[in-house]
Amino acid sequence: MANPNAGPRLLPLLSTPHKGGRSALTCQFRCGNACAHDVANTTGNAYFGDVVKEALSRRGVLRAGALGAVVVGAGVAGAVPAMADEPEASAARHGGNSGNGGGGDLRFTPVSPNKDDALTIPDGYQSSVVVRWGDPVLPDAPEFDFDNQSADAQNKQFGYNCDYVTVFPMGRDRALMWVNHEYTDETLMFRGYPGGAEATEEQIKIALAAHGGSVVELERAGNTGEWKLVTSGRRRYNRRVTAQTRMRFSGPAAGSAPLRTAADPKGGTPVGMLNNCSGGTTPWGTVLTAEENFNQYFVNADKVPAEQQPYIKRYSITTGTPAESRRFDRVEERFDLAKHPNEANRFGWIVEIDPFDPDSTPVKRTALGRFAHEAATTTLARDGRLAVYMGDDGRFEYIYKFVSKDRYIPGFDRHNRALLDEGTLYVAKFTGDSPASEIDGSGKLPEDGLFDGSGEWIPLVSGTKSYVEGMSAEEVLVHTRVAADKVGATKMDRPEDIERNPVTGGVYVALTNNTNRTPAQVDEANPRPSNKHGHIVEIVEKRNDAGEKTFAWSLPLVCGDPNDAATYFAGFDKSKVSPISCPDNVTFDKDGNLWISTDGNALGTNDGLFVMPVKGKDRGHVRQFLTVPVGAETCGPLVSTDQRSVFVAVQHPGETDGAGPDNPSSRWPEGEGGQPRPSVAVVWHAKGKKIGA
Ligand code: FEO
Ligand code: CA
Ligand code: CA
């Protein structure tokens, strides 16, 4: 076996300019230095669980939905047509409709911001590492050996850079966990990594195998909130999905011309998934995983035919063969767009995976559109149709919603799985209600006291019908950004994760940051220029119905140092909140409290996980629940429905400029003498108390 760590040379891979709170290493490997490139959106658009208790039994497996607060028609927004509590259009001012949840009852002492190389949790809590990069997933996987890693081993082991986490219960003390593996940090994975042009083929194959996702079985430790990896026995569900797994397309664009390649002339069978960031869970117990910064894995985009160049540009697909490229084309020719110009069109989708069927083929659902998908959150409209909220994580990109044509029918698996193939894809437009002169870029609230207004979901495509002039339905689905440009969608400050409150029905979007927004480009929904710290948008749809096309919105949280006048914590006393910067992944607990993880904390301390009640007297009371180790971001937060466990994915520990295996900046979780390893951790209260209470 070739030694992937061969070669003592170090390439100057860390010199690329970068912005915000991220290290240059993160910028390079995560998003292909997106910040150093031109903004892709140059249009002139306005700058503006307890789940459905579905105990369905399929192939003998009890699925009660995800362990976490997956918001599927819960509370007021459920499939039951007759609803109480019709919110007014101004509901956004009050944090959704008038349920009792989301109102706090949180009593833990927040952790202080720090730069420690540790997972720091509140007093009274305990934590453990559930699974690390390299841990065996398949029963015949070898133990991890950092200096002798191989592609064969990596194909059977837990991948790199864990992101989205969801957990499905199998009885009380056993569960299945799905985890995304977003991207690889070759300079941390291999000693003396020489860059993609000179990497060994084995190193490139390891990287391909370290992408994708994992299914692993977990078991509860005693009668606690701790969960452990099952490490012996059959583990029949354990699975690795990688950048080389055979998949299929479904939906209206499957088989269309832009998806056809020499290897797949029918445009139906893509290979692999890339940069799977966050995701979602369906009511029928499958995973939706989101291909995000797929644009960075190809070379020679400048050589695709001229008529396709506007699309290449709009999606920032890599041109030439830059030094920072992983050069996957050196082991798989399909990544060279000069030879296979359509290959990049086969990435950037929402992929559905059945974690309960290890032999199932992952499905790229084309009806949900193609962009830098951050996540896909499902819920039910009042009439039972399935809605999916999705963000496109790029500067000045958009927020989308898909609504199925047909209704969800509990237990009717075959019918339900087709819901994601037929429906309408919408993009969001936000309009402020205050005079533009009052949105002065200082972060000062307008005279009506809120950054708020109204909005609409603009239809782009329904099945084979396009609503966008000059574009066919297939073109809208494959080149969705271009379609959204044409209908005047609102350019947002990097739309990340979206979640729906299981108690109030409000929809919350994390806008992580956008240092490129100029003073002339501020609007009420994105009110700060050079937005380093990001903000949260709260959307309350008409009648609190996910099937509606209009909504009210407001910004309950404008992030940063609370001493900075340009921050807003829903009017809560700012002397009592934790500083928060760069909200990224969000989730809800069963009580409707919003949990927010951060990525790229621009306040100079480590990233972490925070919680904020969205109703009542504690609305806006942000408290920090944990911090992650040096160089890491906090991903995949999940509060179990029994509220005894919090899972977090600690992504890219040690990803700081100049760090490498011979001088790591983090040794988490191995400790003294170890290498940093992206890992999923679980936190619980030592006395079994409800999380945060
Ligand atoms: Fe992969 Fe948008 O974070
Ligand atoms: Ca206003
Ligand atoms: Ca992220």
Side-chain angles (χ1 to χ4, degrees):
M1 192 62 64
N3 177 3
N5 288 324
R9 286 161 301 168
L10 271 173
L11 266 196
L13 291 169
L14 308 174
S15 55
T16 322
H18 60 108
K19 295 179 181 176
R22 296 274 33 134
S23 76
L25 207 60
T26 305
C27 294
Q28 176 197 332
F29 286 109
R30 156 100 60 84
C31 40
N33 286 319
C35 296
H37 301 148
D38 292 340
V39 167
N41 190 351
T42 56
T43 57
N45 288 358
Y47 278 91
F48 254 153
D50 205 24
V51 200
V52 164
K53 282 275 183 147
E54 175 180 312
L56 68 96
S57 178
R58 199 155 59 84
R59 289 183 294 275
V61 177
L62 179 74
R63 298 193 206 191
L67 234 183
V70 177
V71 186
V72 182
V76 296
V80 186
M83 297 293 162
D85 297 334
E86 305 264 328
E88 301 299 318
S90 62
R93 289 177 170 272
H94 310 295
N97 83 353
S98 52
N100 294 321
D105 196 26
L106 297 168
R107 293 172 197 281
F108 69 96
T109 304
V111 303
S112 300
N114 62 68
K115 297 183 181 180
D116 300 342
D117 188 32
L119 184 74
T120 304
I121 55 178
D123 286 344
Y125 287 82
Q126 295 181 314
S127 70
S128 67
V129 171
V130 180
V131 56
R132 304 164 293 184
W133 166 48
D135 281 342
V137 169
L138 301 187
D140 63 339
E143 288 299 322
F144 182 59
D145 180 348
F146 181 83
D147 280 301
N148 293 286
Q149 180 62 316
S150 70
D152 186 47
Q154 182 64 79
N155 268 303
K156 299 171 178 175
Q157 297 168 334
F158 198 65
Y160 206 77
N161 273 346
C162 39
D163 202 303
Y164 179 64
V165 174
T166 187
V167 180
F168 301 86
M170 297 191 293
R172 185 182 170 278
D173 298 326
R174 195 92 168 188
L176 268 199
M177 180 168 72
W178 165 270
V179 182
N180 283 359
H181 301 300
E182 187 179 21
Y183 69 101
T184 45
D185 275 302
E186 279 78 350
T187 57
L188 301 184
M189 295 167 68
F190 308 119
R191 287 187 205 278
Y193 177 69
E198 293 178 65
T200 65
E201 289 199 3
E202 188 69 7
Q203 287 174 327
I204 294 172
K205 289 175 183 167
I206 290 169
L208 285 159
H211 281 73
S214 294
V215 180
V216 291
E217 290 189 32
L218 304 182
E219 59 192 353
R220 191 189 288 276
N223 185 27
T224 72
E226 182 181 15
W227 290 82
K228 290 184 166 170
L229 192 66
V230 176
T231 55
S232 62
R234 192 165 157 228
R235 290 162 283 169
R236 71 181 173 119
Y237 300 115
N238 282 24
R239 180 182 189 182
R240 278 304 322 282
V241 173
T242 73
Q244 296 173 307
T245 301
R246 182 157 289 274
M247 311 203 168
R248 72 178 173 89
F249 282 120
S250 76
S256 64
L259 301 186
R260 295 177 201 151
T261 61
D264 177 22
K266 292 186 174 165
T269 54
V271 175
M273 59 184 199
L274 290 169
N275 213 266
N276 292 71
C277 184
S278 193
T281 305
T282 64
W284 49 95
T286 59
V287 174
L288 300 179
T289 171
E291 293 186 304
E292 194 189 26
N293 297 304
F294 66 90
N295 56 305
Q296 61 182 299
Y297 294 93
F298 305 92
V299 296
N300 294 325
D302 46 317
K303 299 203 171 69
V304 309
E307 67 272 17
Q308 291 180 37
Q309 284 300 330
Y311 302 132
I312 289 291
K313 220 171 162 187
R314 188 63 185 84
Y315 282 83
S316 303
I317 313 284
T318 309
T319 53
T321 54
E324 67 266 25
S325 170
R326 292 181 181 83
R327 296 302 304 275
F328 284 174
D329 62 294
R330 291 183 50 226
V331 299
E332 291 200 33
E333 190 187 87
R334 64 190 171 114
F335 290 101
D336 183 350
L337 299 182
K339 294 172 181 154
H340 303 282
N342 282 349
E343 185 65 15
N345 293 337
R346 293 150 68 86
F347 296 85
W349 300 98
I350 294 293
V351 188
E352 184 178 12
I353 294 176
D354 184 349
F356 288 91
D357 182 358
D359 298 322
S360 60
T361 303
V363 185
K364 296 196 174 190
R365 298 284 184 191
T366 65
L368 303 183
R370 174 173 165 267
F371 41 90
H373 277 289
E374 171 73 21
T377 297
T378 65
T379 192
L380 294 182
R382 285 179 177 237
D383 60 8
R385 289 177 296 156
L386 184 80
V388 186
Y389 299 94
M390 300 174 286
D392 180 351
D393 182 9
R395 293 166 292 164
F396 303 113
E397 294 301 343
Y398 308 127
I399 296 168
Y400 297 85
K401 178 170 82 167
F402 170 85
V403 181
S404 68
K405 176 170 167 283
D406 293 326
R407 298 171 184 207
Y408 169 72
I409 303 174
F412 193 177
D413 208 42
R414 193 163 49 85
H415 164 86
N416 292 333
R417 283 173 189 240
L419 294 178
L420 292 171
D421 285 338
E422 224 180 327
T424 304
L425 183 64
Y426 301 88
V427 67
K429 180 180 171 110
F430 293 78
T431 306
D433 69 359
S434 293
S437 60
E438 293 180 15
I439 311 300
D440 62 7
S442 69
K444 186 169 155 252
L445 293 172
E447 280 190 13
D448 70 356
L450 271 184
F451 296 117
D452 68 342
S454 58
E456 62 180 307
W457 294 108
I458 305 172
L460 295 173
V461 58
S462 287
T464 55
K465 177 171 174 48
S466 166
Y467 300 107
V468 183
E469 207 180 320
M471 292 181 83
S472 69
E474 288 166 356
E475 286 169 336
V476 171
L477 293 170
V478 178
H479 309 299
T480 309
R481 282 181 171 178
V482 177
D485 293 343
K486 292 188 180 211
V487 300
T490 302
K491 295 174 161 187
M492 308 299 283
D493 285 348
R494 288 188 56 196
E496 296 255 23
D497 208 351
I498 304 179
E499 290 292 335
R500 188 157 194 237
N501 190 316
V503 177
T504 70
V507 176
Y508 294 75
V509 188
L511 298 171
T512 205
N513 59 42
N514 181 359
T515 50
N516 276 57
R517 191 175 289 273
T518 66
Q521 292 171 326
V522 296
D523 59 40
E524 199 162 344
N526 301 276
R528 290 186 298 188
S530 190
N531 181 6
K532 280 195 296 190
H533 301 300
H535 53 282
I536 300 265
V537 186
E538 179 180 74
I539 292 171
V540 179
E541 293 174 288
K542 186 179 171 188
R543 301 190 310 126
N544 232 352
D545 183 355
E548 282 288 351
K549 297 180 189 117
T550 58
F551 55 86
W553 64 268
S554 73
L555 307 187
L557 182 61
V558 181
C559 300
D561 181 339
N563 293 316
D564 174 354
T567 60
Y568 178 65
F569 290 76
F572 195 83
D573 181 352
K574 290 209 266 180
S575 70
K576 297 193 171 112
V577 302
S578 298
I580 181 170
S581 171
C582 301
D584 185 339
N585 296 133
V586 288
T587 193
F588 282 96
D589 62 32
K590 197 172 153 188
D591 294 333
N593 294 303
L594 178 64
W595 294 74
I596 307 164
S597 65
T598 66
D599 171 19
N601 182 359
L603 295 168
T605 52
N606 292 352
D607 278 312
L609 178 65
F610 303 74
V611 60
M612 182 182 89
V614 297
K615 281 190 64 68
K617 64 177 174 38
D618 260 356
R619 175 171 159 90
H621 188 178
V622 171
R623 274 168 282 196
Q624 183 151 19
F625 184 77
L626 60 78
T627 56
V628 293
V630 170
E633 74 172 274
T634 323
C635 295
L638 180 77
V639 183
S640 64
T641 39
D642 67 7
Q643 295 185 286
R644 295 176 67 193
S645 319
V646 179
F647 294 86
V648 285
V650 178
Q651 197 188 78
H652 58 75
E655 191 185 67
T656 58
D657 296 350
D662 296 325
N663 59 334
S665 61
S666 170
R667 302 232 182 231
W668 190 89
E670 293 191 339
E672 191 59 35
Q675 293 293 335
R677 290 166 70 176
S679 305
V680 175
V682 63
V683 182
W684 68 99
H685 192 277
K687 291 185 177 158
K689 284 188 189 165
K690 190 160 94 172
I691 294 294

